[in-house]
Amino acid sequence: MARFISLLKKSTGPLTAELIQTPGDFGLGKVPARLKPASTITSICGYCATGCQLKIHLDENGQAINLSPQAGYPVNQGMACPKGWQALDPLDAPDRGTTPLLRGADGNLHPIDWPTALDTFVSRFRAIQEAHGHEAAAFLSTGQTPLEEMAFLGCLWKFGMGFLHGDANTRQCMATAVTAYKQSFGFDAPPATYADFEESDVIVLVGSNLCIAHPILWQRIMRNRRSPKIIVIDPRSTETSQAATHHVQLKPKGDLALYYALAHCILRDGRIDPASIARSEGFDKFAEFVKDHTPESAVGKTGLPAEIIEALARDVSEPGKRVSWWWTMGINQSHEGVRAAQAIINLCLITGNIGKPGTGPNSVTGQCNAMGSRLFSNTTSLVGGHDFANADHRRKVAEGLGLPLDCIPKERSLAYDEILAAAERGEIKGLWVVATNPFHSWIDSGRLEALRDKLEFLVVQDMYPTTETARAADLFLPAAGWGEKSGTFINSERRIGTLKPVKKAPGQALSDFRIFRLLANAWGCGRLFEQWTDPESAFKLLRDLTADRPCDITGIESYDHLDQSGGIQWPYPISDCRLKIADSPQETRPADINRQSSISNRPSPERRLFEDGIYYTPSGKARILFSNPAPLPEPPCDDYPFLLLTGRGSSSQWHTQSRTAKSDILRKLAPAAAYIEIHPRDARRLGIASGQQVLIRSSRGEMTATAYLAPTVQPGNVFVPMHYPEVNRLTHPSFDPHSRQPNYKACAVSLTPL
Ligand SMILES: Nc1nc2c(c(=O)[nH]1)N[C@H]1C(S)=C(S)[C@@H](COP(=O)(O)OP(=O)(O)OC[C@H]3O[C@@H](n4cnc5c(=O)[nH]c(N)nc54)[C@H](O)[C@@H]3O)O[C@H]1N2
Ligand SMILES: Nc1nc2c(c(=O)[nH]1)N[C@H]1C(S)=C(S)[C@@H](COP(=O)(O)OP(=O)(O)OC[C@H]3O[C@@H](n4cnc5c(=O)[nH]c(N)nc54)[C@H](O)[C@@H]3O)O[C@H]1N2
Ligand code: SF4
Ligand SMILES: [Mo]
């Protein structure tokens, strides 16, 4: 350590202080003294967007020993899934990155010190910028780092370093829901609060395998005392459909046709809510449009008999019943996901199932901070829920962050797939990949690997240098992970909660926040980020930026305030606090009338949006949007006769498994090698026995997997979990035209027994 600090002194001067201070995370420093007396500390889980709070038990040095779920937290109410219970395991993995690594002339990655890493980063990206302009490099990032880090990355890259392009991995995951909400409601605003799971009479889960992907949300459904109908709309029979009361097993991508047919039946039978319709625009045209979408006309696309469609229409429009819709990747990851999500929104609008307990068109978010990324990553939206194209917004953000106005670009960035296409054409020459593993997770990943040679410079910032993407890097920056740093996440119900450092990061790994500070100084734009000293200071800066936006959180005082309130859902504007102050007895009013003390400044623990029937569009009305279903981008054919579905395999496997595979316990709970679900009838026809190896081919790539024969898939369909690196060699690079989200769940493949 002493050598390290002295090295820094030698080469970088001002960076020294940066590394000796330990604002908000352990980084290279000691455990903050204030943690020492505490025996437990709380932190939001760093995996899925459910946002469970964990109670972490610390030794006398403030280092985590073990953990348990937090009993009183409004989200998980004392529960956690296997990943939450084992959340500390990946921190101790032997393959953690402990020093920066640089690819040498021998083609291998070699340890280097931080000053050399910073110099390399700056000189290489500067050279690209000087030779090819500010559009010649891009970052690709995540929904899995705290919002302060996400915002720092986006602001540093675009406002500080002056590049234009960058996208987050929420493109793989939530872009469809974002676009659908923005177009329909005027803002990316998922309306639900989790209490709605407990207050519904009819719960419709669409393309969502909640039992394994969000197990604690399934537990919330189990607490519903209204004996709800639980309807799962999924082409596969899943853990969730088997536990539900009804399974609607439609054909893959039959959703849009199905929801229009439902709207047809509901309008035909007059089971509508005129007051809700009056608060929307476009109803007459929609009513005209769905006239032709009879249940009979939807039989071909959905594979469902007309009677099933009629019965479903009655279930989701029963007068006096509270109906909530919850969708996940079965909708978002589609060539027509935005319109399918909006078809669900339309059903809620016409039946009045919105803005009331137990209702709503609700997207269930994926990663722990996908919601924070949506508002703060400075990619598709200007940081803090603003718009790059809006001059007032640019001025407000520049003033709020203390930046010159001309730092803020007017143009939008290219989307993820467009960035990679530009790299293929040689126009983008450098990539900085932070907290995501696209060489495994991106659609048609073989193409990504092929374009590696076209990149002049690839930087990967990750906890592990062993991921598929890190192994391809020119420069690897070792990052601290969840549990080693502080910040905030926003969960699926818009609840902001804090995470805390409970372990020292290994070796010279640093929090992403600290890495961004070092890079800002090294680039020479550190002055622009002087106020970003530590995550909580950055949080307050970002909080103030949200003033007057739908996601206004100016009423939040501090991280402590979040902890004392059981997390706080947006919006929570300061005006709400002022109202409360006006109502409170004079003697309890705080000296500072603008900010009430955190004890009395507690919002109600469950808040849903649109209770007043006012949306964020200029007219205040919701928009009913629709268009005709489109054909499958790659339907099965003679050479590739099966349709491949992909998705989550088990509650103990997380994405590309860089973290969950490091836990001895989680590894035991899932198959180690790739498997494929095949309908027994198809298997018999092809002579495939249970447990046999099968070659799966698409026109882009191939993989082998073990056959698992079960009627969980329909004949003609097969399913492979996404957790095995070869899967995306097969997938077809098609995208929703509005959201540019990849269509991960439908491509044509052939099967050959080996
Ligand atoms: N254990 C675990 N939990 C996770 C994750 C993980 O990797 N592991 N990842 C997290 C993340 S980031 C996300 S985004 C979520 C994802 O959570 P989910 O979306 O629930 O998970 P998936 O398995 O990807 O997809 C859900 C279902 O969509 C169905 N589906 C496929 N095509 C269609 C279709 O055309 N229509 C309909 N209606 N359904 C279809 C699939 O059969 C699948 O059962 O999970 C989060 N939670
Ligand atoms: N075929 C198919 N492909 C899919 C999907 C599918 O359903 N089917 N689903 C898609 C979806 S919804 C998603 S969300 C993506 C997920 O795809 P990825 O984001 O690529 O998956 P992860 O494995 O979560 O990758 C996160 C990386 O960040 C690292 N990391 C973790 N914490 C930190 C940190 O604090 N700092 C830094 N710097 N690094 C950190 C981890 O080690 C890991 O390498 O996959 C997509 N790909
Ligand atoms: S349900 Fe999600 S947030 Fe809760 S413990 Fe499991 S992975 Fe963590
Ligand atoms: Mo996701």
Side-chain angles (χ1 to χ4, degrees), residues 209 213 234 236 253 255 328-329 648 650 653 655 745:
N209 193 358
D234 195 310
R236 278 194 312 139
K253 310 300 157 247
D255 295 86
T328 318
M329 291 307 125
R648 276 73 200 157
S650 74
Q653 290 165 297
H655 295 159
K745 289 177 165 30

Side-chain angles (χ1 to χ4, degrees), residues 73-74 495 560-568 598 601-605:
Y73 200 64
R495 188 181 301 276
D560 282 347
H561 185 198
L562 289 169
D563 288 344
Q564 287 161 12
S565 309
I568 295 179
S598 50
N601 179 10
R602 282 201 193 168
S604 79

Side-chain angles (χ1 to χ4, degrees), residues 47 90 93 95 144 437 440-441 464 466-468 649-663 666-675 721-725:
Y47 285 105
D95 63 339
Q144 298 186 69
N437 185 11
H440 172 151
S441 62
Y464 310 97
T466 47
T467 70
E468 289 79 7
S650 74
S651 69
S652 61
Q653 290 165 297
W654 181 258
H655 295 159
T656 72
Q657 297 209 78
S658 69
R659 286 192 283 165
T660 46
K662 309 293 157 56
S663 162
L666 296 180
R667 257 199 332 269
K668 288 201 181 87
L669 299 175
Y675 63 94
M722 64 162 297
H723 309 296
Y724 308 98

Side-chain angles (χ1 to χ4, degrees), residues 47-49 83 173-174 205-210 212-215 233-236 238 250-255 259 328-331 333-334 364-367 645-656 719 722-723 745:
Y47 285 105
C48 89
K83 293 183 299 303
C173 183
M174 298 315 303
L205 298 171
V206 188
S208 169
N209 193 358
L210 213 63
I212 65 161
H214 301 90
I233 303 179
D234 195 310
R236 278 194 312 139
T238 63
L250 83 177
K251 277 192 191 167
K253 310 300 157 247
D255 295 86
Y259 308 138
T328 318
M329 291 307 125
I331 290 293
Q333 293 171 344
S334 154
V364 179
T365 312
Q367 308 155 89
L645 307 177
T646 64
R648 276 73 200 157
S650 74
S651 69
S652 61
Q653 290 165 297
W654 181 258
H655 295 159
T656 72
F719 172 77
M722 64 162 297
H723 309 296
K745 289 177 165 30

Side-chain angles (χ1 to χ4, degrees), residues 588-628:
T588 64
R589 291 187 196 182
D592 173 9
I593 193 71
N594 284 327
R595 257 178 227 299
Q596 208 173 359
S597 85
S598 50
I599 307 300
S600 46
N601 179 10
R602 282 201 193 168
S604 79
E606 300 275 0
R607 289 177 299 129
R608 67 184 58 78
L609 299 179
F610 309 132
E611 288 188 320
D612 55 3
I614 299 171
Y615 299 90
Y616 302 118
T617 53
S619 64
K621 294 183 173 187
R623 298 189 191 108
I624 297 183
L625 298 165
F626 51 90
S627 47
N628 271 313

Side-chain angles (χ1 to χ4, degrees), residues 2-17 20 115:
R3 193 182 143 262
F4 178 42
I5 301 279
S6 81
L7 256 175
L8 279 164
K9 275 193 183 136
K10 230 190 299 169
S11 71
T12 52
L15 296 182
T16 315
I20 293 169

